[in-house]
Amino acid sequence: CIVEYIFGNYDSAADKIQERWIMEKECCRTSMYYGSTDFYDCLICVAMARKSEKEKWVTLAKSARSKVKEFATFGENNCDHKCLLVQAEILDVEGNAEDASSSYDAAIDAAEKSGFVNEQAIASERAGDFYLRHGNTRSSHYYDKARNLYHQWGALAKADHLYKSTPS
């Protein structure tokens, strides 16, 4: 579901996480990858909240965010940027653009400081989406940064996808 999310296939990503949740319930165990699973679950839920059933998806996103915060207590450097990005996304979907804006920048800075180029790229792209939705020309700065970071990370197909699907 991570690849689906990164390439903007949110419906497919949401279907996959819901299938995983059912499987985890039936198996009485969860997938735990140091907060990454919950991080992407949260991002997918927020993306779905922008499309439909906002209240349902925001509730699910907040639940996933609380799990990401739990992991942050074990390794702030590994999770701080994740917490900041999911916070920004939830603030945005709830209509708090001012706080969301500063949270996106904080997430990008924290990911860079911790050396998570891949998640710095995702945070930059989400910031670009945020500014584009709000009609702000700063979106192109964040999309350019995201493309460069995806390229640096080695995700050339994603860098190309972003180049073709976003304004310059």
Side-chain angles (χ1 to χ4, degrees), residues 34-36 39 68-85 106-120:
Y34 309 104
S36 291
F39 171 64
V68 174
K69 284 182 176 182
E70 286 177 36
F71 278 100
T73 63
F74 300 109
E76 187 176 311
N77 288 340
N78 291 332
C79 291
D80 191 38
H81 63 284
K82 290 176 174 75
C83 291
L84 289 163
L85 179 55
I108 293 164
D109 292 343
E112 180 178 23
K113 180 181 172 189
S114 298
F116 287 91
V117 175
N118 58 326
E119 291 167 356
Q120 184 185 2

Side-chain angles (χ1 to χ4, degrees), residues 124-142:
S124 297
E125 182 180 2
R126 294 290 77 81
D129 292 345
F130 167 78
Y131 287 111
L132 183 64
R133 275 191 304 279
H134 292 277
N136 188 316
T137 57
R138 290 176 64 190
S139 62
S140 62
H141 162 75
Y142 288 96

